[in-house]
Amino acid sequence: MKLIFFLSSFVLFISIFFIIFGNNLLYSTLFLIISFLSTSVIFFLLGSYLSGFFQVIIYSGAILLLFIFVVMIIKDKNKNFIISISMKRIFKIFLCFLICGIFIIDIIYPFLHFFDFNKSFKIVSPERVGKILFSDYFFVIELSSILMLEALILSFYFNKSYKDFHKN
Amino acid sequence: MSLTFYCFLLSVIMFSLGILIFILKKNFFFMLIGLEIMLNACLLLFVCAGNYWNNEIGQIIYIFMITISSAEICINLSLLFNFYKINNTLNISSLSELKK
């Protein structure tokens, strides 16, 4: 179990490093899909099967497809975002690692007191999640569907052409 | 050490790499990718904590956050498309010249 976990996390890190050092939009999106799939493997290992299914179907299958469509529409050929080695950039990376180090210490240190790390995790079945989701949290589901509708209307409004905008 | 500790560590490192992408890249699209990686790390942390305490709240928060993130991506990509139509580039430095 631990071997599969470490393998999937290794794939995740490798794909994220390819995103950092890459300059092709489409390849970076494909590496992002690989990283999300490896995250879904970790969800399955933890015993949260519903999250794993959602990660594969909704995240990797639907949301990142939008990314790929946008890349196909844009065809950006400007390579002005390649990481150049300069003192300013090295200072930025150093500052970023410093912030991230402080962040990691801040998050991990309280966990060492609150959590017993020798205790193993429990499997939470999709049936249990569904029962609570459609009883206690039913109103929140309705609100989230309204939020999705708002996002749809807003994206239509943003992509309205200027001619149509001035006509109305 | 059980898998929970490694999951917490993995999510924190993933969040840090997302911040790194967000700071280093000057491209609008890559900044969105960095945001996605950060959000994914938070989702992993929620699910891991929910499974640790043997309750369903972690996965329910995961479902609500995934709806919020999909709405956010929808709006962000439409903004990106408009940005590209005006500037013919995705370089974020030209955002200061958006008002023409």
Side-chain angles (χ1 to χ4, degrees):
Chain A
M1 205 149 183
K2 275 190 179 180
L3 180 70
I4 299 169
F5 175 82
F6 286 127
L7 274 173
S8 58
S9 54
F10 175 73
V11 170
L12 196 145
F13 286 141
I14 289 291
S15 58
I16 290 175
F17 275 115
F18 270 117
I19 292 168
I20 292 170
F21 295 107
N23 54 15
N24 196 326
L25 296 179
L26 190 61
Y27 288 164
S28 300
T29 314
L30 292 174
F31 282 124
L32 188 68
I33 291 173
I34 291 167
S35 74
F36 283 172
L37 288 176
S38 55
T39 314
S40 78
V41 170
I42 291 163
F43 284 151
F44 278 116
L45 280 178
L46 284 171
S48 54
Y49 303 126
L50 195 76
S51 309
F53 281 127
F54 271 28
Q55 189 81 9
V56 174
I57 295 165
I58 295 175
Y59 239 122
S60 311
I63 295 175
L64 289 177
L65 206 71
L66 282 176
F67 275 86
I68 292 171
F69 279 142
V70 166
V71 170
M72 286 158 82
I73 289 167
I74 281 172
K75 292 182 191 171
D76 190 32
K77 291 198 168 48
N78 298 316
K79 297 282 192 252
N80 51 9
F81 46 85
I82 298 169
I83 297 174
S84 57
I85 305 298
S86 62
M87 283 308 289
K88 193 178 172 185
R89 189 53 62 91
I90 289 167
F91 176 70
K92 266 188 184 177
I93 294 170
F94 174 72
L95 199 70
C96 183
F97 274 113
L98 191 73
I99 291 165
C100 293
I102 293 166
F103 180 74
I104 287 168
I105 291 163
D106 279 343
I107 282 192
I108 292 293
Y109 187 71
F111 282 167
L112 295 175
H113 296 279
F114 282 120
F115 288 82
D116 177 21
F117 286 111
N118 295 318
K119 183 183 159 187
S120 60
F121 50 85
K122 303 286 190 300
I123 291 173
V124 180
S125 64
E127 192 183 352
R128 280 171 59 190
V129 177
K131 275 179 184 172
I132 288 186
L133 197 66
F134 290 100
S135 57
D136 298 344
Y137 292 90
F138 191 74
F139 183 67
V140 190
I141 291 172
E142 295 293 327
L143 281 181
S144 62
S145 66
I146 291 167
L147 181 87
M148 298 284 281
L149 185 67
E150 282 177 8
L152 188 74
I153 292 165
L154 264 174
S155 60
F156 270 121
Y157 177 75
F158 283 143
N159 281 317
K160 211 174 178 182
S161 64
Y162 291 105
K163 286 178 183 177
D164 295 341
F165 187 75
H166 288 298
K167 269 181 190 175
N168 300 323
Chain B
M1 292 290 180
S2 67
L3 272 186
T4 47
F5 176 75
Y6 293 122
C7 265
F8 285 132
L9 199 66
L10 177 72
S11 64
V12 170
I13 294 167
M14 210 167 140
F15 192 90
S16 311
L17 288 172
I19 293 174
L20 192 72
I21 292 172
F22 194 82
I23 289 174
L24 283 180
K25 295 283 186 176
K26 285 187 174 181
N27 194 322
F28 199 164
F29 193 85
F30 275 107
M31 288 171 85
L32 284 185
I33 286 176
L35 275 176
E36 281 305 303
I37 289 167
M38 281 192 256
L39 200 122
N40 205 17
C42 295
L43 293 178
L44 180 64
L45 196 67
F46 271 118
V47 171
C48 187
N51 277 10
Y52 178 82
W53 281 303
N54 195 18
N55 60 11
E56 304 84 2
I57 309 298
Q59 291 191 56
I60 286 165
I61 288 172
Y62 172 85
I63 290 162
F64 293 141
M65 274 176 78
I66 216 172
T67 56
I68 291 165
S69 74
S70 59
E72 173 229 340
I73 287 160
C74 191
I75 294 165
N76 273 336
L77 287 176
S78 58
L79 279 172
L80 182 142
F81 193 63
N82 268 322
F83 178 70
Y84 185 75
K85 269 199 296 190
I86 293 167
N87 284 313
N88 283 323
T89 180
L90 286 176
N91 194 357
I92 208 76
S93 303
S94 59
L95 194 64
S96 56
E97 301 159 11
L98 194 64
K99 194 176 178 183
K100 287 187 178 177

